[in-house]
Amino acid sequence: MRFAHASYHIADRFRSLEFYRLLGFEPADELRIDDATHLFLGLGGHPVLELVLAPGRPVGPGGGYRHVAVETTHMDAVLARVPAERGPFVTASGTRLAFLRDPDGYEVELIESRSTTVNNLTSATDFLHREAELLDDNLVDQWLETLSEDLEYSVPLRTTRERPKGPGFSSTAFHMKETYSSMRGRVQRLSSEYAWAEDPPSRTRRFVSNIRVTPGEREDELAVKSNLLLYRGRHDAVEHQLLVGERHDVLRICRDDLKLARRTVLLDQTTLATHNLAVFL
């Protein structure tokens, strides 16, 4: 959640602009919405004040626009906790809006813009592509730095079940069930002289596709689904193995970076045509 701006209805454009200019505000943007003109003023570069010229509507403390606005990537999660008085609805520009009331009757505008969704998808896609590059290049020490210290990582066994009995994944048996601590141990072993199963290392190529991003359960998390095709070759053998599945990830937003907090890998194979799982999915 991030503060966006405060909004007030004004009567005279030039008088108001001059007043706020004397306080250090600078014009940042201007929009025409229906019969109203919205003037956005910046303080330190970020637009924080919205002045609205709306003919025929009352101004001052008793009427007009009086609200603060906050941006969120989790509008549905917020509205599940605090019901909207108006909205949500989508503007012509693709911005999703909803209005709430605080205990004293003041409005709070929630903003979820299309650009936020696009940025989240771009960030998640970049993270997954970079992760694939690090693992394919055998840079596992650098990959470890992309993991959250409360990591939960699992690859449940797949079983063949009739359709009414569920998707066919065990809740008690796993190919891998890791934490950050155990994953760090795996990485340290791969960097030692005792990683016999991976010395020389497998040649791998990861193909990541069908990336879908939705808001996570927490404000600082993204829920990301992706499809994975992993090619693995060993030594000089002609034979190779393919592992295919869907990954359900939780990526945590940490300042300007993302970290992998949870991953569940749902493999399409019930029997794996590989001698071991000494590689990461």
Side-chain angles (χ1 to χ4, degrees):
M1 193 82 72
R2 184 176 71 87
F3 176 79
H5 61 260
S7 178
Y8 300 104
H9 190 186
I10 61 174
D12 188 293
R13 172 192 186 114
F14 299 102
R15 186 179 62 185
S16 294
L17 288 178
E18 178 60 16
F19 172 82
Y20 284 105
R21 184 189 67 79
L22 294 173
L23 295 178
F25 288 82
E26 297 180 350
D29 198 5
E30 179 174 332
L31 295 176
R32 183 75 178 178
I33 303 175
D34 297 328
D35 62 341
T37 301
H38 297 249
L39 308 171
F40 291 90
L41 307 183
L43 194 63
H46 178 65
V48 293
L49 182 61
E50 178 188 26
L51 303 179
V52 183
L53 282 161
R57 301 184 194 178
V59 299
Y65 286 79
R66 286 191 305 154
H67 65 259
V68 296
V70 292
E71 293 180 356
T72 178
T73 59
H74 294 64
M75 179 175 287
D76 290 330
V78 174
L79 295 181
R81 301 191 299 267
V82 183
E85 183 178 76
R86 292 190 288 137
F89 51 86
V90 180
T91 68
S93 63
T95 300
R96 196 165 175 235
L97 302 178
F99 289 87
L100 319 176
R101 287 277 182 189
D102 79 359
D104 296 303
Y106 295 105
E107 276 195 328
V108 177
E109 179 186 12
L110 286 182
I111 303 173
E112 184 182 73
S113 68
R114 182 173 56 185
S115 61
T116 300
T117 303
V118 172
N119 289 339
N120 288 342
L121 176 60
T122 300
S123 298
T125 300
D126 289 345
F127 176 91
L128 295 178
H129 288 171
R130 174 61 175 162
E131 177 193 40
E133 180 182 22
L134 291 174
L135 291 174
D136 289 343
D137 291 346
N138 202 32
L139 300 174
V140 289
D141 289 324
Q142 294 184 35
W143 175 71
L144 185 67
E145 296 175 2
T146 69
L147 307 182
S148 172
E149 293 190 0
D150 60 347
L151 174 73
E152 297 177 13
Y153 185 109
S154 63
V155 185
L157 266 65
R158 182 158 203 157
T159 58
T160 301
R161 299 176 183 171
E162 296 175 348
R163 193 187 301 273
K165 296 183 178 180
F169 291 98
S170 174
S171 60
T172 57
F174 300 85
H175 295 292
M176 297 174 67
K177 189 170 178 62
E178 309 291 338
T179 63
Y180 179 82
S181 178
S182 64
M183 197 66 81
R184 181 176 57 191
R186 280 177 172 264
V187 168
Q188 289 174 342
R189 186 173 183 276
L190 286 174
S191 303
S192 73
E193 59 183 300
Y194 301 107
W196 301 296
E198 277 296 300
D199 193 12
S202 297
R203 290 179 292 275
T204 62
R205 191 66 57 198
R206 291 163 177 80
F207 299 87
V208 182
S209 65
N210 296 72
I211 299 170
R212 295 91 78 197
V213 180
T214 56
E217 295 180 356
R218 292 174 23 172
E219 185 74 21
D220 62 344
E221 291 180 346
L222 302 175
V224 183
K225 291 183 180 180
S226 63
N227 292 351
L228 175 69
L229 170 63
L230 170 62
Y231 163 91
R232 185 186 187 192
R234 294 284 292 145
H235 303 293
D236 297 323
V238 176
E239 297 82 9
H240 63 271
Q241 296 94 45
L242 294 176
L243 293 171
V244 184
E246 182 181 65
R247 300 185 300 189
H248 294 190
D249 295 339
V250 173
L251 300 183
R252 186 164 299 141
I253 304 169
C254 302
R255 295 187 180 180
D256 296 327
D257 202 0
L258 294 175
K259 287 187 178 294
L260 179 64
R262 289 196 296 278
R263 169 166 290 169
T264 302
V265 184
L266 304 176
L267 292 172
D268 291 330
Q269 298 105 314
T270 54
T271 302
L272 305 186
T274 181
H275 296 300
N276 59 56
L277 262 184
V279 295
F280 302 113
L281 303 175

PDB file of all heavy atoms in Angstrom, residues 138 190 192-193 195-204 232-237 276 278-279:
ATOM      1  N   ASN A 138      24.917 -23.100 -13.841  1.00  0.00           N
ATOM      2  CA  ASN A 138      25.478 -23.735 -12.650  1.00  0.00           C
ATOM      3  C   ASN A 138      25.991 -22.716 -11.634  1.00  0.00           C
ATOM      4  O   ASN A 138      26.933 -22.986 -10.884  1.00  0.00           O
ATOM      5  CB  ASN A 138      26.597 -24.713 -13.024  1.00  0.00           C
ATOM      6  CG  ASN A 138      26.833 -25.767 -11.951  1.00  0.00           C
ATOM      7  OD1 ASN A 138      25.902 -26.173 -11.256  1.00  0.00           O
ATOM      8  ND2 ASN A 138      28.078 -26.192 -11.808  1.00  0.00           N
ATOM      9  N   LEU A 190      26.945 -29.156  -3.578  1.00  0.00           N
ATOM     10  CA  LEU A 190      27.260 -29.085  -5.005  1.00  0.00           C
ATOM     11  C   LEU A 190      28.565 -28.351  -5.256  1.00  0.00           C
ATOM     12  O   LEU A 190      29.227 -28.569  -6.274  1.00  0.00           O
ATOM     13  CB  LEU A 190      26.118 -28.395  -5.758  1.00  0.00           C
ATOM     14  CG  LEU A 190      24.832 -29.201  -5.956  1.00  0.00           C
ATOM     15  CD1 LEU A 190      23.752 -28.328  -6.596  1.00  0.00           C
ATOM     16  CD2 LEU A 190      25.086 -30.433  -6.813  1.00  0.00           C
ATOM     17  N   SER A 192      31.141 -28.609  -3.312  1.00  0.00           N
ATOM     18  CA  SER A 192      32.223 -29.348  -2.664  1.00  0.00           C
ATOM     19  C   SER A 192      32.709 -30.482  -3.557  1.00  0.00           C
ATOM     20  O   SER A 192      32.186 -30.708  -4.655  1.00  0.00           O
ATOM     21  CB  SER A 192      31.735 -29.903  -1.324  1.00  0.00           C
ATOM     22  OG  SER A 192      30.852 -30.999  -1.538  1.00  0.00           O
ATOM     23  N   GLU A 193      33.664 -31.237  -3.054  1.00  0.00           N
ATOM     24  CA  GLU A 193      34.214 -32.374  -3.807  1.00  0.00           C
ATOM     25  C   GLU A 193      33.382 -33.634  -3.632  1.00  0.00           C
ATOM     26  O   GLU A 193      33.713 -34.680  -4.192  1.00  0.00           O
ATOM     27  CB  GLU A 193      35.650 -32.644  -3.344  1.00  0.00           C
ATOM     28  CG  GLU A 193      35.744 -32.957  -1.857  1.00  0.00           C
ATOM     29  CD  GLU A 193      37.177 -33.151  -1.396  1.00  0.00           C
ATOM     30  OE1 GLU A 193      37.839 -34.067  -1.935  1.00  0.00           O
ATOM     31  OE2 GLU A 193      37.618 -32.383  -0.523  1.00  0.00           O
ATOM     32  N   ALA A 195      30.025 -33.969  -4.339  1.00  0.00           N
ATOM     33  CA  ALA A 195      28.816 -34.009  -5.177  1.00  0.00           C
ATOM     34  C   ALA A 195      29.040 -34.948  -6.354  1.00  0.00           C
ATOM     35  O   ALA A 195      29.075 -34.537  -7.519  1.00  0.00           O
ATOM     36  CB  ALA A 195      28.459 -32.605  -5.660  1.00  0.00           C
ATOM     37  N   TRP A 196      29.212 -36.248  -6.042  1.00  0.00           N
ATOM     38  CA  TRP A 196      29.572 -37.205  -7.083  1.00  0.00           C
ATOM     39  C   TRP A 196      28.502 -37.313  -8.173  1.00  0.00           C
ATOM     40  O   TRP A 196      28.818 -37.503  -9.343  1.00  0.00           O
ATOM     41  CB  TRP A 196      29.794 -38.586  -6.443  1.00  0.00           C
ATOM     42  CG  TRP A 196      30.878 -38.547  -5.410  1.00  0.00           C
ATOM     43  CD1 TRP A 196      32.196 -38.267  -5.623  1.00  0.00           C
ATOM     44  CD2 TRP A 196      30.742 -38.762  -4.015  1.00  0.00           C
ATOM     45  NE1 TRP A 196      32.895 -38.303  -4.435  1.00  0.00           N
ATOM     46  CE2 TRP A 196      32.022 -38.611  -3.419  1.00  0.00           C
ATOM     47  CE3 TRP A 196      29.662 -39.080  -3.181  1.00  0.00           C
ATOM     48  CZ2 TRP A 196      32.248 -38.758  -2.062  1.00  0.00           C
ATOM     49  CZ3 TRP A 196      29.895 -39.245  -1.842  1.00  0.00           C
ATOM     50  CH2 TRP A 196      31.160 -39.080  -1.277  1.00  0.00           C
ATOM     51  N   ALA A 197      27.225 -37.214  -7.789  1.00  0.00           N
ATOM     52  CA  ALA A 197      26.156 -37.361  -8.780  1.00  0.00           C
ATOM     53  C   ALA A 197      26.140 -36.205  -9.771  1.00  0.00           C
ATOM     54  O   ALA A 197      25.563 -36.317 -10.852  1.00  0.00           O
ATOM     55  CB  ALA A 197      24.799 -37.468  -8.092  1.00  0.00           C
ATOM     56  N   GLU A 198      26.785 -35.102  -9.407  1.00  0.00           N
ATOM     57  CA  GLU A 198      26.773 -33.911 -10.270  1.00  0.00           C
ATOM     58  C   GLU A 198      28.195 -33.425 -10.557  1.00  0.00           C
ATOM     59  O   GLU A 198      28.444 -32.229 -10.654  1.00  0.00           O
ATOM     60  CB  GLU A 198      25.963 -32.793  -9.619  1.00  0.00           C
ATOM     61  CG  GLU A 198      24.470 -32.904  -9.855  1.00  0.00           C
ATOM     62  CD  GLU A 198      24.092 -32.774 -11.325  1.00  0.00           C
ATOM     63  OE1 GLU A 198      24.382 -31.731 -11.934  1.00  0.00           O
ATOM     64  OE2 GLU A 198      23.522 -33.736 -11.872  1.00  0.00           O
ATOM     65  N   ASP A 199      29.130 -34.366 -10.700  1.00  0.00           N
ATOM     66  CA  ASP A 199      30.502 -33.996 -11.052  1.00  0.00           C
ATOM     67  C   ASP A 199      31.019 -34.985 -12.091  1.00  0.00           C
ATOM     68  O   ASP A 199      31.328 -36.135 -11.757  1.00  0.00           O
ATOM     69  CB  ASP A 199      31.392 -34.024  -9.800  1.00  0.00           C
ATOM     70  CG  ASP A 199      32.733 -33.353 -10.041  1.00  0.00           C
ATOM     71  OD1 ASP A 199      32.869 -32.677 -11.085  1.00  0.00           O
ATOM     72  OD2 ASP A 199      33.631 -33.516  -9.198  1.00  0.00           O
ATOM     73  N   PRO A 200      31.083 -34.611 -13.358  1.00  0.00           N
ATOM     74  CA  PRO A 200      30.789 -33.269 -13.889  1.00  0.00           C
ATOM     75  C   PRO A 200      29.293 -32.960 -13.826  1.00  0.00           C
ATOM     76  O   PRO A 200      28.471 -33.884 -13.782  1.00  0.00           O
ATOM     77  CB  PRO A 200      31.274 -33.350 -15.333  1.00  0.00           C
ATOM     78  CG  PRO A 200      31.176 -34.800 -15.671  1.00  0.00           C
ATOM     79  CD  PRO A 200      31.505 -35.545 -14.413  1.00  0.00           C
ATOM     80  N   PRO A 201      28.955 -31.684 -13.814  1.00  0.00           N
ATOM     81  CA  PRO A 201      27.546 -31.308 -13.651  1.00  0.00           C
ATOM     82  C   PRO A 201      26.701 -31.660 -14.873  1.00  0.00           C
ATOM     83  O   PRO A 201      27.199 -31.756 -15.998  1.00  0.00           O
ATOM     84  CB  PRO A 201      27.613 -29.790 -13.459  1.00  0.00           C
ATOM     85  CG  PRO A 201      28.886 -29.374 -14.109  1.00  0.00           C
ATOM     86  CD  PRO A 201      29.843 -30.513 -13.909  1.00  0.00           C
ATOM     87  N   SER A 202      25.415 -31.857 -14.617  1.00  0.00           N
ATOM     88  CA  SER A 202      24.475 -32.065 -15.717  1.00  0.00           C
ATOM     89  C   SER A 202      24.428 -30.822 -16.590  1.00  0.00           C
ATOM     90  O   SER A 202      24.656 -29.703 -16.132  1.00  0.00           O
ATOM     91  CB  SER A 202      23.074 -32.346 -15.168  1.00  0.00           C
ATOM     92  OG  SER A 202      23.049 -33.531 -14.408  1.00  0.00           O
ATOM     93  N   ARG A 203      24.141 -31.063 -17.855  1.00  0.00           N
ATOM     94  CA  ARG A 203      23.882 -29.936 -18.759  1.00  0.00           C
ATOM     95  C   ARG A 203      22.361 -29.754 -18.814  1.00  0.00           C
ATOM     96  O   ARG A 203      21.640 -30.668 -19.227  1.00  0.00           O
ATOM     97  CB  ARG A 203      24.471 -30.203 -20.142  1.00  0.00           C
ATOM     98  CG  ARG A 203      25.993 -30.168 -20.162  1.00  0.00           C
ATOM     99  CD  ARG A 203      26.538 -30.470 -21.546  1.00  0.00           C
ATOM    100  NE  ARG A 203      26.284 -31.869 -21.920  1.00  0.00           N
ATOM    101  CZ  ARG A 203      27.082 -32.886 -21.575  1.00  0.00           C
ATOM    102  NH1 ARG A 203      28.152 -32.655 -20.834  1.00  0.00           N
ATOM    103  NH2 ARG A 203      26.801 -34.115 -21.953  1.00  0.00           N
ATOM    104  N   THR A 204      21.912 -28.601 -18.389  1.00  0.00           N
ATOM    105  CA  THR A 204      20.470 -28.359 -18.286  1.00  0.00           C
ATOM    106  C   THR A 204      20.071 -27.131 -19.095  1.00  0.00           C
ATOM    107  O   THR A 204      20.879 -26.228 -19.331  1.00  0.00           O
ATOM    108  CB  THR A 204      20.039 -28.143 -16.824  1.00  0.00           C
ATOM    109  OG1 THR A 204      20.694 -26.980 -16.312  1.00  0.00           O
ATOM    110  CG2 THR A 204      20.389 -29.352 -15.968  1.00  0.00           C
ATOM    111  N   ARG A 232      17.734 -32.247 -19.453  1.00  0.00           N
ATOM    112  CA  ARG A 232      18.922 -32.628 -18.681  1.00  0.00           C
ATOM    113  C   ARG A 232      19.710 -33.693 -19.427  1.00  0.00           C
ATOM    114  O   ARG A 232      19.184 -34.746 -19.782  1.00  0.00           O
ATOM    115  CB  ARG A 232      18.502 -33.169 -17.312  1.00  0.00           C
ATOM    116  CG  ARG A 232      19.671 -33.489 -16.380  1.00  0.00           C
ATOM    117  CD  ARG A 232      19.173 -34.151 -15.112  1.00  0.00           C
ATOM    118  NE  ARG A 232      20.217 -34.324 -14.124  1.00  0.00           N
ATOM    119  CZ  ARG A 232      20.108 -35.072 -13.026  1.00  0.00           C
ATOM    120  NH1 ARG A 232      18.974 -35.719 -12.791  1.00  0.00           N
ATOM    121  NH2 ARG A 232      21.110 -35.169 -12.172  1.00  0.00           N
ATOM    122  N   GLY A 233      20.971 -33.393 -19.680  1.00  0.00           N
ATOM    123  CA  GLY A 233      21.876 -34.351 -20.321  1.00  0.00           C
ATOM    124  C   GLY A 233      23.052 -34.648 -19.407  1.00  0.00           C
ATOM    125  O   GLY A 233      23.479 -33.782 -18.628  1.00  0.00           O
ATOM    126  N   ARG A 234      23.587 -35.870 -19.508  1.00  0.00           N
ATOM    127  CA  ARG A 234      24.687 -36.277 -18.638  1.00  0.00           C
ATOM    128  C   ARG A 234      25.822 -36.862 -19.462  1.00  0.00           C
ATOM    129  O   ARG A 234      25.604 -37.669 -20.380  1.00  0.00           O
ATOM    130  CB  ARG A 234      24.210 -37.335 -17.633  1.00  0.00           C
ATOM    131  CG  ARG A 234      23.178 -36.856 -16.617  1.00  0.00           C
ATOM    132  CD  ARG A 234      23.824 -36.003 -15.529  1.00  0.00           C
ATOM    133  NE  ARG A 234      24.695 -36.812 -14.704  1.00  0.00           N
ATOM    134  CZ  ARG A 234      25.824 -36.383 -14.165  1.00  0.00           C
ATOM    135  NH1 ARG A 234      26.231 -35.150 -14.399  1.00  0.00           N
ATOM    136  NH2 ARG A 234      26.570 -37.173 -13.405  1.00  0.00           N
ATOM    137  N   HIS A 235      27.042 -36.459 -19.141  1.00  0.00           N
ATOM    138  CA  HIS A 235      28.254 -36.994 -19.747  1.00  0.00           C
ATOM    139  C   HIS A 235      28.164 -36.912 -21.282  1.00  0.00           C
ATOM    140  O   HIS A 235      27.720 -35.899 -21.818  1.00  0.00           O
ATOM    141  CB  HIS A 235      28.510 -38.421 -19.259  1.00  0.00           C
ATOM    142  CG  HIS A 235      28.604 -38.523 -17.764  1.00  0.00           C
ATOM    143  ND1 HIS A 235      29.630 -37.957 -17.042  1.00  0.00           N
ATOM    144  CD2 HIS A 235      27.765 -39.111 -16.859  1.00  0.00           C
ATOM    145  CE1 HIS A 235      29.457 -38.198 -15.759  1.00  0.00           C
ATOM    146  NE2 HIS A 235      28.321 -38.881 -15.612  1.00  0.00           N
ATOM    147  N   ASP A 236      28.538 -38.003 -21.962  1.00  0.00           N
ATOM    148  CA  ASP A 236      28.502 -38.014 -23.434  1.00  0.00           C
ATOM    149  C   ASP A 236      27.363 -38.881 -23.965  1.00  0.00           C
ATOM    150  O   ASP A 236      27.367 -39.261 -25.143  1.00  0.00           O
ATOM    151  CB  ASP A 236      29.837 -38.537 -23.984  1.00  0.00           C
ATOM    152  CG  ASP A 236      31.009 -37.642 -23.607  1.00  0.00           C
ATOM    153  OD1 ASP A 236      30.814 -36.408 -23.595  1.00  0.00           O
ATOM    154  OD2 ASP A 236      32.094 -38.168 -23.308  1.00  0.00           O
ATOM    155  N   ALA A 237      26.433 -39.206 -23.106  1.00  0.00           N
ATOM    156  CA  ALA A 237      25.333 -40.092 -23.504  1.00  0.00           C
ATOM    157  C   ALA A 237      24.406 -39.403 -24.505  1.00  0.00           C
ATOM    158  O   ALA A 237      24.198 -38.185 -24.445  1.00  0.00           O
ATOM    159  CB  ALA A 237      24.551 -40.521 -22.271  1.00  0.00           C
ATOM    160  N   ASN A 276      18.305 -39.377 -10.442  1.00  0.00           N
ATOM    161  CA  ASN A 276      18.240 -38.601  -9.212  1.00  0.00           C
ATOM    162  C   ASN A 276      17.642 -37.241  -9.512  1.00  0.00           C
ATOM    163  O   ASN A 276      17.421 -36.880 -10.673  1.00  0.00           O
ATOM    164  CB  ASN A 276      19.634 -38.452  -8.577  1.00  0.00           C
ATOM    165  CG  ASN A 276      20.616 -37.769  -9.526  1.00  0.00           C
ATOM    166  OD1 ASN A 276      20.371 -36.662 -10.017  1.00  0.00           O
ATOM    167  ND2 ASN A 276      21.749 -38.419  -9.797  1.00  0.00           N
ATOM    168  N   ALA A 278      19.156 -34.241  -8.461  1.00  0.00           N
ATOM    169  CA  ALA A 278      20.237 -33.424  -7.944  1.00  0.00           C
ATOM    170  C   ALA A 278      20.269 -32.056  -8.618  1.00  0.00           C
ATOM    171  O   ALA A 278      21.253 -31.328  -8.488  1.00  0.00           O
ATOM    172  CB  ALA A 278      21.576 -34.127  -8.125  1.00  0.00           C
ATOM    173  N   VAL A 279      19.206 -31.741  -9.344  1.00  0.00           N
ATOM    174  CA  VAL A 279      19.083 -30.410  -9.957  1.00  0.00           C
ATOM    175  C   VAL A 279      17.856 -29.751  -9.355  1.00  0.00           C
ATOM    176  O   VAL A 279      16.992 -30.393  -8.756  1.00  0.00           O
ATOM    177  CB  VAL A 279      18.947 -30.503 -11.491  1.00  0.00           C
ATOM    178  CG1 VAL A 279      20.219 -31.073 -12.109  1.00  0.00           C
ATOM    179  CG2 VAL A 279      17.743 -31.328 -11.890  1.00  0.00           C
TER     180      VAL A 279
END
